[in-house]
Amino acid sequence: STDQCEWVVGSAEELPFESNSFDAYTISFGIRNVTNINKALEEANRVLVRGGRFMCLEFSHVPNSLLRRVYDEYSFQVIPVLGEVIASDYDSYQYLVESIRRFPKQEQFVQMIETAGFSCVTYRNLSGGIAAIHSGYKL
């Protein structure tokens, strides 16, 4: 139940928790916006107990060249326009598309997670690579 949850506002790069405190660490569509992704990954590792699992759901890169072309056209030509029409905010939706393209590709993100101290790191593409779930363990 939610009465057992405590909501905390903090930086992913400097988590306000003791080391070895959590069995799992999840982040969805957020690590892409962290200033120092490597520091955030190290912090995730620090707060996990041995055997703890890290999972990250994030927009990713489409490996299929045909799907990638279609997705790029949609992303750059449609998403910012929809942002303007629906939310009167073209710039934020343009930033969204650009930040997705700047995020590391799946294999590079695997290496970053491993460098932060995680083992058994894998990823699974969703929707042809539009998003991906990365997973690793603190062993």
Side-chain angles (χ1 to χ4, degrees):
S1 80
T2 57
D3 61 332
Q4 295 176 352
C5 292
E6 179 183 341
W7 299 100
V8 176
V9 176
S11 168
E13 299 167 64
E14 202 171 316
L15 295 171
F17 305 109
E18 293 183 25
S19 298
N20 306 305
S21 297
F22 297 97
D23 295 316
Y25 177 110
T26 63
I27 185 167
S28 298
F29 303 112
I31 202 160
R32 171 177 40 86
N33 295 310
V34 171
T35 304
N36 186 333
I37 294 171
N38 292 320
K39 178 66 175 149
L41 292 171
E42 290 168 3
E43 277 292 277
N45 187 280
R46 180 185 68 78
V47 300
L48 283 171
V49 299
R50 186 177 282 309
R53 188 172 190 185
F54 167 82
M55 295 194 76
C56 176
L57 170 64
E58 188 57 80
F59 288 114
S60 203
H61 295 269
V62 177
N64 178 286
S65 61
L66 177 60
L67 180 57
R68 184 174 53 247
R69 279 196 298 270
V70 172
Y71 180 57
D72 282 347
E73 279 297 311
Y74 171 77
S75 295
F76 285 100
Q77 303 303 320
V78 177
I79 291 176
V81 173
L82 284 176
E84 178 63 33
V85 170
I86 295 169
S88 300
D89 190 356
Y90 182 95
D91 292 341
S92 292
Y93 289 86
Q94 181 68 30
Y95 165 79
L96 168 68
V97 173
E98 292 170 359
S99 71
I100 292 168
R101 295 315 180 280
R102 284 192 304 269
F103 192 72
K105 292 185 177 177
Q106 290 88 319
E107 289 297 332
Q108 183 183 359
F109 194 47
V110 164
Q111 292 174 352
M112 292 170 71
I113 296 167
E114 290 173 338
T115 298
F118 290 98
S119 300
C120 305
V121 179
T122 61
Y123 72 90
R124 178 177 169 211
N125 283 332
L126 305 173
S127 300
I130 291 172
I133 299 174
H134 283 75
S135 172
Y137 293 88
K138 178 179 178 177
L139 300 179

